[in-house]
Amino acid sequence: MRIPVREVTPGCEKAEIYGYIHEVRDLGGLVFLLVRDRTGIIQVTVPKKKVAPEILDAVRDVSRESVVRVAGSVRAIDKAPGGREIVPESFEIISRSESPLPLDVAEKVPAELDTRLDSRFLDARRPRVSAVFHIRSAIVQAVHEFLYSAGFVNITTPKIVAAATEGGTELFPIAYFEKEAFLNQSPQLYKQMMIGAGFERVFEIGPIFRAEEHNTTKHLNEATSIDVEIAYADHCAVMKLLEDLVVSVYAKVERDCAPFLETMEIEEFSVPKTPFQRLPYEEAIAIANRRTDEPIRFGDDIGTAAEKAIGEEMGDHYFIVDWPTAIKPYYAMPYEDDPTLCKAFDLMHPRMELSSGAQRVHQYDLLVRQIREKGLNPESFSFYLTPFRYGMPPHAGWGLGMERLVMTMLDLQNIREAVLFPRDRHRLVP
Ligand code: ATP
Ligand code: MN
């Protein structure tokens, strides 16, 4: 019976394993193979004089990254990975790999990110790459656990839509029979409509599509967004929810993913402490102006250089709050006592923005006015606006970028490393 490599211990008398040939070392009288499955690597030691000739033939013939079956006795040995080895009683090549390999899975030869992504299936055989996606999976699970236990309902909203969420140019048009349609930038309007449907607490983890013009290390054209919306809540309540969620995700990774963190050589994994600092927008731009040579004024966006400078000063996760109404979307709620500012926030990691959220406008007239003030036509949003005329609870929510969460947590240099098959301007295959 097959057992995972990690579970092969000197205590097992016999073991049968399946995996890839990670390495072959022929020392004349002795051949060492390393066999890898998703749980680890084990040494298979073949003393040429002591094994059956058909085993020796197969071992001599095998190429790296071929899939094999090995069965034999287990021995304790200090120098081998995991302190044990298998001496084969049978050895079978199940699927032979061609050589040379497009990519060195054993990582002796470094590869550029582009080469790695071209051969992603091989790249993902590398333990440190595989670790990223096992951790990402644990993050998705942690988010589900956190939100379900907080009483959220999981929804799925359309990705083919007729109108832009926020207007703007970041849209991918698609051919949809005789109509014009787009890939959705955000589930924003739909999750708000489900607040109008009385669901009170909804979440969705799904793709968002953005026709980002520029090639950057933190933008994808297809990303994954963790989106929530809550009725009878303000921006403060959903900021608290967001920081608690981030902490609980980190805590789960620390608790359950130790072997993967070790594989990635992340020695100091720390769970951020709540509450995260709340930094008013005005103070944020003051910090940026102190630390950079590119002055920004009230009402400007916080660009990459400013983001970095502010992050260096803050040192850990923080929120930027009290944004100018003019630079946030029409659905952000202005403060009653000063409508030039709104109840929007961004969650920041010192390296970059992770999430944007706000208390939303729930009053129909105000919403229509704000849509007009952004130069958009309320008529193209009538499917969204109608629910606001038939009883809309006050509500708030946010969208958190999954890839940026993974990237910042694991200190990845490029967002493309946090997604299996990234989509960018130049990459549509694989
Ligand atoms: P940025 O200013 O960094 O481009 P944004 O403010 O345009 O981001 P939002 O519309 O606020 O992005 O989307 C919410 C979150 O979704 C972002 O904070 C980010 O984590 C994630 N996100 C948005 N666009 C992208 C993208 N192109 N690639 C990866 N993640 C994205
Ligand atoms: Mn944003």
Side-chain angles (χ1 to χ4, degrees), residues 166 170 185-186 208-212 216 218-227 301-302 304 307 328-329 331 345-347 352-357 398-405 415:
E166 295 172 27
E170 292 180 350
Q185 300 167 290
S186 153
I208 56 171
F209 302 92
R210 310 254 172 136
E212 310 277 2
T216 80
K218 58 175 192 183
H219 289 98
L220 295 161
N221 294 117
E222 178 176 0
T224 309
S225 180
I226 305 165
D227 260 276
D301 267 322
I302 296 179
T304 303
E307 203 171 79
K328 281 292 179 184
Y331 48 76
F345 58 85
D346 277 7
L347 171 64
M352 73 192 75
E353 176 189 322
L354 297 183
S355 169
S356 286
W398 40 256
L400 166 64
M402 173 77 79
E403 288 79 15
R404 290 195 188 172
L405 180 62
I415 195 165

Side-chain angles (χ1 to χ4, degrees), residues 12-80:
C12 319
E13 220 167 86
K14 302 262 178 211
E16 180 183 18
I17 58 160
Y18 287 73
Y20 291 103
I21 296 289
H22 190 68
E23 224 180 277
V24 184
R25 257 186 310 145
D26 193 335
L27 300 186
L30 213 52
V31 183
F32 292 112
L33 305 173
L34 292 181
V35 176
R36 184 190 74 242
D37 72 7
R38 85 170 171 152
T39 68
I41 291 177
I42 190 165
Q43 178 169 301
V44 174
T45 302
V46 189
K48 285 189 185 167
K49 293 204 173 120
K50 293 189 193 150
V51 297
E54 61 279 10
I55 293 183
L56 198 56
D57 288 346
V59 165
R60 280 202 175 115
D61 193 30
V62 77
S63 53
R64 284 168 62 203
E65 296 305 315
S66 295
V67 176
V68 298
R69 185 185 73 85
V70 184
S73 54
V74 183
R75 289 199 316 214
I77 170 169
D78 281 347
K79 282 182 195 139

Side-chain angles (χ1 to χ4, degrees), residues 325-339:
T325 307
I327 57 170
K328 281 292 179 184
Y330 57 81
Y331 48 76
M333 177 75 97
Y335 280 102
E336 292 80 8
D337 54 354
D338 178 5

